């Protein structure tokens, strides 16, 4: 008995089976190169943080008129210059800067996936932003990986008010 396309019931689901490729190492043109990832991170950090930072100033809006009801912080997505006063207000808007670091890390991840041609790599991005207050900060990490295929790249941004550090990990997946 032979099965042809006409013999299969249209209501049944077909199961596709993918066989393993047994590729233990990436092709030469599909390797994670830290120098290329660093260029992407540097451009994104500069683009997002050079002249502005997204600060949600609900307190200014509410101080203009007492009759205004509280507004969702996400609706006030204002870009403004970074100055000493805006940095001092960071304590009041910590969640907003958390979302800013997530936005920056998502942009870095998307650009790395789009521009680096690394289809079998898992990309992990970590972004940290802080105030410049004459302090010392060390950002560290530990990983267990294959040194022949896995790697990382880091970049930093700094001006007189803030610093930012970004790290991209490229982990080859089988």
């Amino acid at each position: 008995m032979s099965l042809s396309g006409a013999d299969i019931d249209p209501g049944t689901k077909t199961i596709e089976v993918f066989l393993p490729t047994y590729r233990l190492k990436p092709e030469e043109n599909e390797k994670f190169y830290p120098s290329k990832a660093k260029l992407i991170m540097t451009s994104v950090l500069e683009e997002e943080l050079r002249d502005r930072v997204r600060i949600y100033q609900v307190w200014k809006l509410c101080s203009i008129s007492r009759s205004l009801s509280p507004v969702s912080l996400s609706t006030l997505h204002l870009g403004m210059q970074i100055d000493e006063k805006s940095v001092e207000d960071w304590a009041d808007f910590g969640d907003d800067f958390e979302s800013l670091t997530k936005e920056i890390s998502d942009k870095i991840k998307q650009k790395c996936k789009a521009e680096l041609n690394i289809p079998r790599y898992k990309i992990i991005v970590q972004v940290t932003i802080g105030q410049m207050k004459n302090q010392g900060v060390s950002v560290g990490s530990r990983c267990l990986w294959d040194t022949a295929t896995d790697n990382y790249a880091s970049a930093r941004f700094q001006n007189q008010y803030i610093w930012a550090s970004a790290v991209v990990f490229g982990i080859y997946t089988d």
Side-chain angles (χ1 to χ4, degrees):
M1 178 175 172
S2 67
L3 289 176
S4 66
D7 295 338
I8 299 175
D9 183 22
T12 61
K13 292 184 181 181
T14 58
I15 299 173
E16 292 184 44
V17 178
F18 295 101
L19 298 176
T21 61
Y22 300 108
R23 284 182 49 196
L24 300 179
K25 293 186 179 184
E27 300 294 325
E28 189 62 35
N29 64 340
E30 294 179 345
K31 286 187 178 180
F32 178 83
Y33 291 106
S35 59
K36 293 179 182 179
K38 185 172 184 167
L39 291 174
I40 292 170
M41 288 186 296
T42 303
S43 70
V44 170
L45 287 173
E46 285 287 329
E47 175 186 313
E48 291 294 318
L49 299 173
R50 179 188 27 187
D51 294 328
R52 64 179 173 77
V53 72
R54 292 183 178 108
I55 297 179
Y56 306 96
Q57 296 187 340
V58 173
W59 59 273
K60 275 192 176 179
L61 183 62
C62 291
S63 67
I64 294 170
S65 171
R66 299 254 184 229
S67 63
L68 291 177
S69 61
V71 180
S72 169
L73 294 179
S74 61
T75 62
L76 294 175
H77 201 246
L78 302 174
M80 68 176 285
Q81 293 293 102
I82 299 172
D83 60 2
E84 213 166 336
K85 175 71 175 128
S86 63
V87 173
E88 291 298 325
D89 295 331
W90 277 20
D92 298 331
F93 302 106
D95 293 340
D96 299 322
F97 285 96
E98 178 183 339
S99 67
L100 176 64
T101 58
K102 287 179 183 178
E103 287 176 25
I104 292 172
S105 62
D106 287 342
K107 280 187 180 183
I108 291 172
K109 186 175 183 176
Q110 288 171 356
K111 279 192 164 190
C112 283
K113 284 185 174 185
E115 296 176 18
L116 295 182
N117 186 30
I118 48 176
R120 293 180 148 231
Y121 275 85
K122 171 80 173 171
I123 301 296
I124 302 165
V125 181
Q126 176 186 1
V127 175
T128 308
I129 299 176
Q131 285 180 276
M132 294 293 290
K133 287 277 194 172
N134 295 326
Q135 78 277 21
V137 176
S138 293
V139 177
S141 62
R142 295 177 69 178
C143 298
L144 180 62
W145 62 27
D146 182 2
T147 57
T149 58
D150 305 337
N151 214 330
Y152 76 98
S154 64
R156 64 188 192 109
F157 170 86
Q158 179 177 326
N159 68 15
Q160 63 181 351
Y161 301 111
I162 65 169
W163 59 267
S165 171
V167 183
V168 173
F169 299 94
I171 313 298
Y172 185 74
T173 57
D174 234 340

